[in-house]
């Protein structure tokens, strides 16, 4: 039994396809299949049910994959210990980011980080929070950037900054308001991101007004703040935006911005990683780089942290 064989097993378990798993492992499909077959022959069991479409793990295969993850993590820890002892910051580092943070935060720190740590191969992928946590637990991501607190016992959080929610209210909805309070929000007027976005959950957690009647003659949710802004400009509703997103609005659209009164409802943005703390030296370097660039853009102190998880009954 070898570490390489276990890595191949994990790849097939993830992608449920031998050809795709081989591609991700940078080997030929016959090589990967042969190594897994050797492992199955050594153990005298079948790890995969090859007759199912897509390929599925057998019952014993599920247990083997669980243990293989632990073995791979512990083998990675050995290299991690050596790298930290040598002060080496390099190698592959897989970072997940939720989509509502990517367009504003990533351009702020990415160039600085890759220039300062050229030996790190930063692999960045977008995931929603639930998928990100699953991949952290399975060792498929080294760290993630997400809205917190998540309060998961096996996930650690390094707070990076607090980002206020900001109202986007065209004139027809402003009603002479200069500032917002949560009581001003009417859920049926708010254009929301689609399900799966924790930013949507945050908005629902802020809202105090919950009318059951829906007086809109359309229902719409989007994965794009830009789309929500355009619909709002057409008089179809209001929306809430993350503060950093408002900095890039054109001057015309900035006139539609309404800030909340203090304490401003805000999301906490954190660097999250598995409790195993693998590649902690790179995580620390990433954290320091991000803190160095956001401190000038995010200076709010009087904030109320809004949970990224739904906590009001009856909201869907």
């Amino acid at each position: 039994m070898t570490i390489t064989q276990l890595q191949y097993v994990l790849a097939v378990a993830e992608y449920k396809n031998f050809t795709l798993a081989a591609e991700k492992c940078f080997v030929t499909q016959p090589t990967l299949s042969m190594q897994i077959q050797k492992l199955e022959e050594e153990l005298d069991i079948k790890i995969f049910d090859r007759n199912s479409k897509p390929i599925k793990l057998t019952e014993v295969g599920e247990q083997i994959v669980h243990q293989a993850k632990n073995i791979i993590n512990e083998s990675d820890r050995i290299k991690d210990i050596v790298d930290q002892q040598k002060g080496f910051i390099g190698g592959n580092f897989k970072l997940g980011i939720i989509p509502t943070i990517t367009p504003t935060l990533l351009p702020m720190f990415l160039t600085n980080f890759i220039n300062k740590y050229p030996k790190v191969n930063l692999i960045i992928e977008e995931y929603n929070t639930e998928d990100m946590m699953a991949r952290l637990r399975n060792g498929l991501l080294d760290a993630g950037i997400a809205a917190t607190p998540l309060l998961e016992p096996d996930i650690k959080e390094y707070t990076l900054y607090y980002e206020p929610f900001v109202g986007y209210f065209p004139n027809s909805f402003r009603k002479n308001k200069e500032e917002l309070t949560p009581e001003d929000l009417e859920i049926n007027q708010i254009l929301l991101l689609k399900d799966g976005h924790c930013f949507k959950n945050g908005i629902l957690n802020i809202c105090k007004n919950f009318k059951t009647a829906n007086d809109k003659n359309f229902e719409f949710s989007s994965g794009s703040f830009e789309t929500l802004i355009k619909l709002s400009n057409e008089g179809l509703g209001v929306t809430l935006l993350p503060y950093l997103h408002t900095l890039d609005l054109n001057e015309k659209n900035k006139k539609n911005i309404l800030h909340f009164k203090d304490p401003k409802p805000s999301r906490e943005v954190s660097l999250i990683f598995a409790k195993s703390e693998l590649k902690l030296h790179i995580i620390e370097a990433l954290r320091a780089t991000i803190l160095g660039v956001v401190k000038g853009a995010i200076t709010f102190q009087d904030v109320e942290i809004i949970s990224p998880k739904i906590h009001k009954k009856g909201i869907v």
Side-chain angles (χ1 to χ4, degrees):
M1 186 186 307
T2 68
I3 295 293
T4 299
Q5 288 173 333
L6 296 179
Q7 288 172 331
Y8 292 167
V9 167
L10 292 183
V12 175
E14 179 184 0
Y15 297 107
K16 298 178 175 57
N17 181 285
F18 278 81
T19 301
L20 183 56
E23 180 183 320
K24 297 295 183 179
C25 293
F26 304 102
V27 295
T28 65
Q29 190 268 333
T31 297
L32 179 137
S33 295
M34 181 183 67
Q35 289 299 322
I36 291 178
Q37 187 175 349
K38 279 186 176 181
L39 179 59
E40 289 177 321
E41 289 173 354
E42 178 184 342
L43 298 174
D44 194 26
I45 52 92
K46 289 295 182 184
I47 299 174
F48 296 101
D49 178 1
R50 292 164 173 80
N51 294 323
S52 65
K53 299 293 181 183
I55 291 169
K56 293 196 318 188
L57 288 162
T58 61
E59 186 174 344
V60 70
E62 294 272 5
Q63 299 177 56
I64 289 171
V65 163
H66 176 75
Q67 190 60 34
K69 289 173 183 175
N70 294 333
I71 293 170
I72 297 299
N73 280 340
E74 291 305 314
S75 68
D76 287 343
R77 189 183 296 278
I78 294 174
K79 184 176 184 304
D80 201 44
I81 290 170
V82 173
D83 285 346
Q84 292 193 53
Q85 181 67 29
K86 293 179 177 179
F88 174 73
I89 299 180
N92 290 338
F93 188 86
K94 294 182 179 180
L95 177 69
I97 308 183
I98 60 173
T100 59
I101 290 176
T102 307
T104 51
L105 181 62
L106 191 59
M108 293 175 67
F109 78 83
L110 184 57
T111 300
N112 284 359
F113 184 82
I114 59 180
N115 286 341
K116 190 171 184 179
Y117 302 103
K119 294 181 180 178
V120 176
N121 179 30
L122 195 58
I123 303 162
I124 303 169
E125 300 172 328
E126 283 190 335
Y127 296 102
N128 65 35
T129 304
E130 291 300 321
D131 289 344
M132 188 184 299
M133 288 193 295
R135 296 181 79 82
L136 286 171
R137 291 183 176 114
N138 290 331
L140 301 174
L141 283 177
D142 297 306
I145 299 176
T148 53
L150 299 171
L151 305 178
E152 299 289 334
D154 56 345
I155 300 291
K156 292 201 168 187
E157 303 174 5
Y158 277 173
T159 301
L160 298 171
Y161 57 90
Y162 303 109
E163 182 176 25
F165 291 79
V166 177
Y168 189 85
F169 279 61
N171 281 333
S172 57
F173 294 96
R174 292 176 77 94
K175 299 177 182 177
N176 298 319
K177 292 185 181 298
E178 296 300 325
E179 286 185 304
L180 285 176
T181 67
E183 288 73 19
D184 294 325
L185 300 180
E186 180 54 65
I187 192 65
N188 287 334
Q189 288 185 344
I190 300 177
L191 300 167
L192 296 168
L193 293 175
K194 63 185 178 182
D195 290 342
H197 287 274
C198 60
F199 194 81
K200 175 181 179 177
N201 296 348
I203 292 175
L204 296 176
N205 287 335
I206 295 170
C207 289
K208 307 295 184 184
N209 255 335
F210 296 109
K211 285 185 179 178
T212 54
N214 190 339
D215 55 4
K216 290 191 295 188
N217 59 3
F218 75 100
E219 292 184 19
F220 177 81
S221 61
S222 172
S224 163
F225 286 125
E226 284 70 25
T227 302
L228 298 181
I229 289 170
K230 289 178 180 178
L231 290 175
S232 185
N233 287 341
E234 291 296 320
L236 295 173
V238 301
T239 193
L240 297 187
L241 305 171
Y243 171 76
L244 286 177
H245 192 89
T246 67
L247 301 182
D248 292 330
L249 295 179
N250 60 43
E251 291 305 314
K252 180 181 178 181
N253 286 342
K254 281 183 178 179
K255 293 178 181 178
N256 294 329
I257 291 299
L258 275 180
H259 294 277
F260 281 89
K261 292 181 180 179
D262 291 338
K264 299 182 187 302
S266 304
R267 64 175 175 177
E268 178 183 79
V269 176
S270 299
L271 197 56
I272 65 174
F273 51 97
K275 199 173 182 180
S276 60
E277 298 187 0
L278 286 171
K279 302 186 181 180
L280 187 59
H281 55 310
I282 301 181
I283 292 172
E284 294 282 7
L286 189 60
R287 181 193 189 192
T289 302
I290 295 173
L291 288 176
V293 298
V294 300
K295 63 183 179 182
I298 297 287
T299 57
F300 298 94
Q301 301 296 326
D302 191 1
V303 297
E304 176 188 359
I305 304 305
I306 303 299
S307 172
K309 295 184 175 182
I310 290 292
H311 62 75
K312 285 182 168 61
K313 292 182 179 179
I315 298 299
V316 295

